[in-house]
Amino acid sequence: MANGTQAAGAAGLGAQERFGGRFYPHELINSGGMADIWLVSDERGKHFALRKLKPKFRFNLRARRRFVRGCQVLSQLNESEFIVGYVEHGKLDGTLYLLMDYIEASNLKLLLARQDPVLTENVAQILIDMAVGLNEVHESGFMHLDFKPENILVTGNGNVRLIDFDLAQPMLEKPKKMSDNPGTPGYMSPEQLQGKPIDARVDIFAYGVAAYELLTNRKPFPGETPADILGAQLEPAGPIAPREHNTDIPAALEKLILKCLERDPDRRYPFVSVLVRELQSVLYV
C-alpha cells in the first residue's frame, strides 16, 4: 500500500524504535489529513501496512471516533481480493492504530497525475474491479461514502484494493439525512451537497465520477468549492460526454457512466451489482 511518500524516521516513529514494542518501522508510505501509514514488520519479518492516528489528533474525540469506526468497518467487511486485508486494530503506546496487509501499490489519484501506463494497459479490468470492490462493501452491509481515486489502490499488475472506511455507514433501507454529511465534495452527489436524504446510490454516483476521471483525466463537474461543484451538477445540459474528451471510449461505456452520474438518484443504477453486470457486458469481460 505505497503511494510515493517516503520519509522514514518522521512523525513520531524513529528509524530504530519499535511501535508499541511490536513493529519495526521501515518507511512512511502515506500521510493523510488524519493518519500516517507506515510499512512495518513484526519480529518474524512479515511486512504490514500500519495506519496510526497523528499525534495532534490524540485528544480529538471526533477524529478518534472516525478512526475507530474505519477500523471496525474494515474488520466487518467480507474478505475480498478487492478490499485491503484487515489484520487487527487497537491502541499501542496510547496511539490508535490499524494493521493491514501490505500491498505494493499506488493510489489511483497519483497514477492519474503521472499518467501511469498501468492505467491504459488495464483500464477495463480496473473499471470492473472498482465496481466489484464497491459492491462487496455494500454486500457486507456498508456504504463507503468516500469512494474516490485516493482511496483506490492499484498494483503494478492492475489489481485493485479499496481502502479508508472512516466515513462508512451501515446500508439504509430508505434514504436518510446524515447529521455530518460525510464525503469529499468532488465525488459527492447533488443530494449530498444539498444536505438531502441519501442512500447507497451516492456511492454509485461517486463511482461514476471516478470512472469518468479515469477515462478522461478530467472531472465531470469541475469546481473549487462545494457550491461550484453543485452548480455544475445542476446544469440542465449535464456533464460533457466522456467521448468528447476521449473518442476511444465505447459508446455503451459512456452511456453507463452518464447513468451513474444522473442528478436524480432514481435514474441511476439501483444497486452496484447491476452496474457490475452491465460493465462486464459492455467491456466483454
Side-chain angles (χ1 to χ4, degrees), residues 133-207:
L134 185 58
N135 185 53
E136 292 183 358
V137 174
H138 285 193
E139 289 192 342
S140 298
F142 294 94
M143 306 179 290
H144 191 290
L145 298 184
D146 203 18
F147 187 89
K148 58 183 180 180
E150 196 171 352
N151 289 335
I152 301 165
L153 296 181
V154 182
T155 72
N157 294 325
N159 298 321
V160 166
R161 299 287 190 283
L162 303 189
I163 61 170
D164 197 340
F165 299 90
D166 288 357
L167 301 185
Q169 294 284 347
M171 290 284 280
L172 299 167
E173 291 185 8
K174 60 182 181 179
K176 177 183 176 183
K177 192 167 183 176
M178 309 298 283
S179 58
D180 56 355
N181 199 26
T184 300
Y187 301 88
M188 292 170 77
S189 66
E191 62 267 29
Q192 283 175 288
L193 289 171
Q194 294 176 96
K196 293 181 177 179
I198 67 168
D199 61 17
R201 291 173 295 180
V202 301
D203 279 346
I204 293 174
F205 186 92
Y207 174 89

Side-chain angles (χ1 to χ4, degrees), residues 27 56 84 122 132 135 166 173 191 228 237 243 251 253 258 263:
E27 63 179 275
K56 67 180 180 180
V84 67
N122 301 278
V132 172
N135 185 53
D166 288 357
E173 291 185 8
E191 62 267 29
D228 292 341
R243 281 162 56 85
L253 180 58
L258 292 175
R263 184 182 312 137

